[in-house]
């Protein structure tokens, strides 16, 4: 039944287009004949529709909608509608038919070419889309900013990060997009992609330069800070790495769980674990993430033994109950319990552990996509920086 909607919308579009065309057309002897033709087309289209032949119905309706200066916008809307409903080949036909019309106004011609490029992207014909968008860009047309946005999509899909960054830089020169955080975030992540490539080839200095570029787009980008800390760590600049990791804790506290591992490694390298423990203890009252509690309990265990860690966890869990915290507490308590209780506690710990591991750890705050791993680009809505760690709330 859902697809019926599109045919009725097509019908309305055809009728609206025809009325618009008639209103502006001079009365002539041919008008009556054209009216007859158009209604004949409607009935043929309806017949196809009723016989459940939707493709033929769409073709007939499109044919019935005469292209003239008054119906161009209707055709554009129709093309976009067909594409959204997955009829990309039909959308391409509509837009190509529009472009073939001689004397098409420049503004409409640009809009139509842009729509055709989007059709090509939807159909996976990225080379064709790129050629068309570049043409629009070179002509300096009024839709060039939209063309840049779609070129970024293409280059990101093809992992051509340098080209994607160039397009973002160009787009950010426009007064309308200068403060567009989504474009800035995308450009920063594109720089991070290049940084990761350079790090794989051990080109630390060049990787550091790339991170500077990422920060020029978005200074609060968590991934860029994590990569910078990683580079500093590789270069043996542990204090600089700690500074960058602490910056993440301040600017993006929800990402604290990503910071704890490298932070512990850096403090170990400079042999200053008490300072690390102090940092975590100071973080604890304002930090809702249970990973800080677990890291701290581990530090207490190594410094003062199991008993002290059990006491610390007990105190914390009484105030803020947490399943992950309980698993950790059971791990510490099981070896101390007698054999019968220990076996039951062991079973309980395994069950809770299984339950916790099944839960998603990250969620996209744009489309709701959930996962166990952290993705910087949401695989579902294709937006950067929207996936955040799910903080374990009290009682979870
Ligand atoms: Zn998403």
């Amino acid at each position: 039944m859902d697809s019926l909607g599109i045919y009725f919308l097509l019908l309305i579009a055809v009728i609206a287009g025809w009325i618009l065309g008639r209103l502006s057309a001079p009365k002539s002897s041919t008008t009556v004949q054209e009216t007859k033709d158009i209604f004949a087309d409607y009935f043929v289209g309806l017949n196809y529709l009723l016989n459940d032949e939707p493709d033929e119905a769409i073709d007939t309706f499109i044919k019935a909608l005469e292209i003239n200066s008054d119906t161009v916008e209707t055709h554009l809307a129709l093309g976009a509608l067909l594409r959204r409903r997955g009829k990309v080949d039909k959308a391409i036909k509509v837009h190509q038919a529009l472009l073939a019309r001689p004397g098409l106004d420049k503004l409409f011609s640009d809009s139509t070419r842009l729509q055709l490029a989007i059709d090509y992207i939807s159909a996976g014909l990225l080379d064709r889309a790129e050629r068309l968008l570049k043409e629009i860009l070179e002509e300096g047309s009024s839709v060039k900013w939209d063309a840049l946005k779609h070129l970024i999509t293409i280059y990101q899909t093809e992992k051509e990060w340098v080209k994607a960054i160039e397009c973002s830089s160009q787009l950010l020169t426009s007064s309308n997009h200068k403060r567009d955080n989504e474009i800035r975030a995308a450009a920063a992540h594109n720089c991070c992609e290049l940084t990761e490539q350079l790090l794989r080839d051990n080109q630390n200095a060049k990787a550091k330069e790339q991170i500077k570029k990422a920060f020029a787009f978005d200074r609060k980008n968590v991934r860029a800070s994590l990569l910078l800390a990683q580079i500093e760590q590789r270069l043996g600049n542990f204090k600089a790495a700690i500074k960058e990791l602490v910056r993440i804790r301040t600017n993006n506290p929800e990402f604290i769980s990503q910071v704890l591992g490298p932070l512990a490694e850096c403090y170990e390298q400079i042999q200053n674990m008490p300072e690390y423990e102090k940092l975590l203890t100071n973080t604890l009252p304002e930090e809702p993430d249970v990973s800080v509690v677990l890291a701290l309990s581990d530090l207490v265990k190594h410094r003062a033994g199991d008993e002290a860690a059990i006491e610390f966890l007990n105190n914390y869990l009484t105030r803020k109950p947490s399943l992950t915290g309980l698993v950790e507490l059971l791990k510490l308590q099981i070896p101390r319990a007698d054999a019968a209780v220990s076996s039951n506690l062991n079973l309980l710990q395994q069950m809770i552990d299984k339950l916790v591991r099944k839960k998603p750890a990250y969620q996209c705050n744009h489309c709701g996509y959930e996962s166990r791993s952290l993705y910087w680009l949401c695989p579902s809505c294709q937006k950067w920086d929207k996936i955040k760690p799910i903080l374990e709330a009290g009682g979870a």
Side-chain angles (χ1 to χ4, degrees):
M1 278 308 285
D2 192 33
S3 60
L4 266 182
I6 192 171
Y7 309 124
F8 288 119
L9 281 169
L10 274 168
L11 251 181
I12 293 165
V14 172
I15 294 165
W18 176 77
I19 291 169
L20 279 170
R22 286 317 88 183
L23 281 176
S24 56
K27 303 264 180 261
S28 72
S29 57
T30 57
T31 310
V32 176
Q33 185 55 44
E34 283 171 9
T35 308
K36 278 182 183 169
D37 289 348
I38 220 160
F39 275 109
D41 283 338
Y42 289 156
F43 288 118
V44 173
L46 267 178
N47 197 32
Y48 280 132
L49 192 56
L50 294 171
N51 287 325
D52 209 12
E53 294 174 88
D55 281 353
E56 287 79 357
I58 290 174
D59 286 340
T60 311
F61 288 140
I62 291 171
K63 190 177 143 234
L65 181 57
E66 181 196 358
I67 300 178
N68 61 45
S69 54
D70 296 309
T71 61
V72 172
E73 281 181 83
T74 314
H75 274 269
L76 281 170
L78 197 63
L81 180 71
L82 287 166
R83 184 178 60 239
R84 275 202 295 278
R85 304 307 295 253
K87 304 268 178 196
V88 183
D89 52 337
K90 302 280 178 206
I92 291 176
K93 271 189 195 167
V94 169
H95 291 134
Q96 283 176 335
L98 262 180
L99 283 175
R101 184 177 181 267
L104 186 66
D105 186 88
K106 171 88 173 90
L107 186 69
F108 284 130
S109 154
D110 288 344
S111 304
T112 310
R113 282 190 299 163
L114 183 71
Q115 289 301 316
L116 187 57
I118 303 172
D119 296 340
Y120 287 151
I121 294 174
S122 301
L125 304 167
L126 299 187
D127 284 355
R128 276 200 215 178
E130 184 187 353
R131 269 200 303 277
L132 202 52
L133 292 168
K134 275 170 135 178
E135 260 177 47
I136 294 174
L137 208 58
E138 280 157 18
E139 290 165 15
S141 119
S142 58
V143 294
K144 73 170 184 179
W145 304 116
D146 291 308
L148 274 170
K149 281 188 192 171
H150 293 293
L151 273 174
I152 293 172
T153 307
I154 293 174
Y155 292 140
Q156 285 185 166
T157 309
E158 291 180 331
K159 300 191 189 304
E160 293 203 50
W161 309 116
V162 175
K163 288 184 182 175
I165 295 165
E166 276 170 14
C167 290
S168 298
S169 301
Q170 219 175 319
L171 195 51
L172 288 168
T173 60
S174 132
S175 53
N176 283 343
H177 297 96
K178 212 190 288 181
R179 289 188 179 78
D180 190 323
N181 288 337
E182 281 197 18
I183 296 165
R184 290 192 169 276
H189 277 285
N190 294 164
C191 293
C192 289
E193 294 283 348
L194 283 176
T195 308
E196 284 175 359
Q197 281 178 8
L198 291 165
L199 284 177
R200 280 196 285 276
D201 297 336
N202 266 324
Q203 299 196 51
N204 297 329
K206 281 191 177 172
K208 209 169 166 179
E209 275 172 30
Q210 204 54 242
I211 284 299
K212 275 188 194 159
K213 287 184 190 167
F215 283 143
F217 288 114
D218 177 11
R219 183 59 187 99
K220 288 188 177 176
N221 189 285
V222 180
R223 184 186 186 184
S225 285
L226 283 169
L227 283 168
L228 179 58
Q230 192 185 330
I231 297 167
E232 297 292 14
Q233 221 178 321
R234 277 190 185 199
L235 297 171
N237 304 327
F238 299 110
K239 287 191 176 167
I242 290 172
K243 199 175 157 195
E244 199 54 39
L245 293 166
V246 169
R247 190 196 291 273
I248 298 177
R249 194 206 66 158
T250 313
N251 288 341
N252 308 80
E254 69 270 34
F255 279 93
I256 185 87
S257 56
Q258 311 298 310
V259 168
L260 294 172
L263 209 49
E265 284 169 21
C266 290
Y267 275 111
E268 246 174 66
Q269 288 291 334
I270 59 167
Q271 298 180 340
N272 196 351
M273 292 315 267
E275 190 62 32
Y276 179 44
E277 193 175 331
K278 202 168 126 193
L279 179 75
L280 291 189
T281 311
N282 289 340
T283 305
L284 201 56
E286 70 213 47
E287 188 47 65
D289 196 315
V290 75
S291 59
V292 177
V293 183
L294 300 187
L296 208 44
S297 130
D298 205 40
L299 283 175
V300 173
K301 184 181 151 185
H302 281 98
R303 177 173 54 76
D306 285 10
E307 194 80 46
I310 290 172
E311 195 189 332
F312 166 77
L313 274 176
N314 251 331
N315 276 340
Y316 182 83
L317 292 174
T318 317
R319 282 181 286 118
K320 288 187 178 177
S322 134
L323 281 182
T324 319
L326 185 60
V327 170
E328 206 54 35
L329 183 62
L330 287 173
K331 272 187 202 163
L332 290 167
Q333 284 180 325
I334 287 168
R336 312 166 80 82
D338 65 58
V341 178
S342 159
S343 130
N344 289 343
L345 285 179
N346 214 359
L347 194 64
L348 182 66
Q349 186 230 310
Q350 282 173 22
M351 285 174 74
I352 302 173
D353 207 20
K354 217 170 156 184
L355 206 68
V356 171
R357 280 176 199 284
K358 267 190 192 167
K359 283 177 25 178
Y362 302 91
Q363 187 178 36
C364 173
N365 62 15
H366 180 76
C367 72
Y369 174 84
E370 291 181 334
S371 68
R372 287 289 306 161
S373 318
L374 172 60
Y375 296 100
W376 298 111
L377 178 68
C378 176
S380 172
C381 67
Q382 299 293 311
K383 289 196 178 288
W384 293 100
D385 259 353
K386 298 290 179 192
I387 294 190
K388 311 275 180 197
I390 300 172
L391 302 181
E392 194 178 345

